[in-house]
């Protein structure tokens, strides 16, 4: 089977974002991304700073690493990045996990389609708002969402949008209207991905979370969205591998 560029395998921990927040899970983090978001909390996956840590691994090798780290203490794996949707060969790994009776979650910005999307148990599409300094390709996202709906997968798919400011909120509102078939999650962003002052970061994140909740509660056009914190950052700050 084809190999995948892997930077991290860790867990068990909890999923801190999106549709399965709180889910006990293992993580596999791949290298590489086709975006360069201004506030990315895993820029090491694409900026070259961790290039010496990339391992080219077969699905079987990744599975063995998961077992070594997690033993029998997991039944769910989150594939993260970077953008793990860059790799058509990821389908081999998804199928191997299913053969081992493991559920699979994956997040992507929706910049490209992969046929194996229809096999993912918890697929999060995360179009990037204006504060990222990236431009979401809604034509591509329209195609992805349509294919997933045609495959009857909408119950397994959601969209998650990070909100830092009013422009991001307006972007999230338009995305929620564009894809009413999908559950939409709004999530507060991390304003300082470098700080080691966990207490200050936690206070700032909670304040932002409360402000976002207040904004949504007052907006009759956002009655169906769900508002989440970035749970793992509240718990562990900017620590990696948790």
């Amino acid at each position: 089977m084809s190999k995948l560029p892997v930077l991290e395998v860790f867990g068990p921990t909890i999923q801190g974002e999106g549709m399965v927040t709180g889910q006990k899970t293992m993580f596999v983090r791949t290298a590489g991304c086709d975006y360069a978001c201004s506030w990315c909390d895993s820029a090491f996956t694409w900026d070259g700073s961790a290039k010496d840590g990339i391992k080219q691994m077969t699905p079987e090798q990744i599975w063995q690493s998961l077992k070594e780290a997690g033993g029998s203490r997991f039944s769910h794996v989150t594939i993260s990045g970077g953008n793990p949707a860059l790799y058509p060969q990821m389908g081999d790994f998804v199928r191997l996990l299913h053969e081992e009776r493991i559920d699979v979650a994956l997040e992507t910005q929706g910049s490209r389609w992969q046929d194996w999307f229809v096999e993912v148990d918890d697929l999060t599409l995360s179009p990037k708002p204006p504060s990222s300094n990236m431009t979401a390709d809604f034509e591509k996202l329209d195609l992805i969402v349509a294919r997933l709906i045609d495959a009857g997968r909408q119950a397994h798919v959601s969209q998650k949008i990070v909100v830092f400011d009013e422009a991001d909120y307006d972007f999230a509102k338009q995305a929620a209207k564009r894809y009413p078939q999908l559950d939409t999650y709004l999530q507060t962003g991390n304003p300082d991905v470098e700080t080691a002052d966990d207490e200050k970061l936690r206070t700032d994140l909670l304040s932002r979370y409360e402000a976002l909740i207040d904004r949504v509660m007052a907006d009759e056009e956002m009655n169906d969205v769900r508002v989440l914190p970035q749970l793992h950052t509240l718990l562990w700050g900017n620590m990696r591998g948790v």
Side-chain angles (χ1 to χ4, degrees):
M1 291 184 180
S2 299
K3 295 183 178 182
L4 291 159
V6 176
L7 270 169
E8 295 181 315
V9 174
F10 62 91
T13 183
I14 54 99
Q15 172 58 260
E17 301 185 355
M19 65 192 296
V20 287
T21 293
Q23 169 72 51
K24 182 180 181 182
T25 191
M26 296 290 292
F27 272 86
V28 174
R29 188 183 298 280
T30 59
C33 193
D34 49 337
Y35 278 21
C37 295
S38 61
W39 36 251
C40 181
D41 61 2
S42 53
F44 62 91
T45 62
W46 51 264
D47 67 5
S49 61
K51 62 181 180 180
D52 293 338
I54 299 171
K55 296 181 180 179
Q56 296 293 331
M57 303 176 71
T58 65
E60 291 88 351
Q61 289 171 330
I62 303 171
W63 172 245
Q64 288 305 312
S65 292
L66 286 164
K67 292 292 287 182
E68 289 170 8
S72 59
R73 295 175 291 126
F74 67 98
S75 60
H76 188 277
V77 168
T78 298
I79 303 170
S80 185
N83 182 11
L86 294 176
Y87 306 108
Q89 68 270 33
M90 184 65 75
D92 293 333
F93 182 48
V94 172
R95 286 184 283 275
L96 174 60
L97 289 174
H98 284 159
E99 289 171 6
E100 298 292 343
R101 299 183 179 180
I102 303 296
D103 287 341
V104 182
L106 184 141
E107 179 177 325
T108 176
Q109 59 262 40
S111 57
R112 63 182 66 194
W113 167 261
Q114 296 291 354
D115 289 342
W116 50 260
F117 280 2
V118 299
E119 301 175 59
V120 175
D121 300 287
D122 307 305
L123 179 62
T124 298
L125 303 174
S126 185
K128 304 308 179 188
S131 64
S132 70
N133 292 332
M134 298 289 105
T135 301
D137 186 344
F138 277 106
E139 290 187 5
K140 180 62 64 65
L141 205 57
D142 288 346
L143 175 64
I144 291 172
V145 171
R147 286 180 173 177
L148 290 166
I149 290 173
D150 286 346
R153 298 298 293 176
Q154 57 263 41
H156 298 268
V157 182
S158 68
Q159 64 173 336
K160 185 202 79 181
I161 300 168
V162 176
V163 176
F164 279 90
D165 54 32
E166 194 66 22
D168 289 355
Y169 184 84
D170 290 342
F171 174 93
K173 181 183 290 191
Q174 294 306 310
K177 290 179 180 178
R178 193 178 188 106
Y179 307 118
Q181 308 94 329
L182 304 182
D183 288 337
T184 296
Y185 294 81
L186 273 56
Q187 180 180 296
T188 49
N190 180 353
D192 190 346
V193 298
E194 300 293 338
T195 184
D197 188 342
D198 291 351
E199 196 59 41
K200 182 177 182 299
L201 179 60
R202 187 175 294 117
T203 298
D204 194 357
L205 288 171
L206 286 172
S207 177
R208 289 169 176 268
Y209 184 43
E210 183 178 11
L212 182 57
I213 289 172
D214 289 344
R215 183 73 174 85
V216 170
M217 296 308 105
D219 190 343
E220 63 183 20
E221 295 183 276
M222 296 290 264
N223 289 348
D224 297 322
V225 304
R226 306 178 190 188
V227 188
L228 297 175
Q230 197 178 52
L231 185 58
H232 60 285
T233 309
L234 287 175
L235 290 170
W236 299 300
N238 290 316
M239 184 184 302
R240 278 178 56 178
V242 292

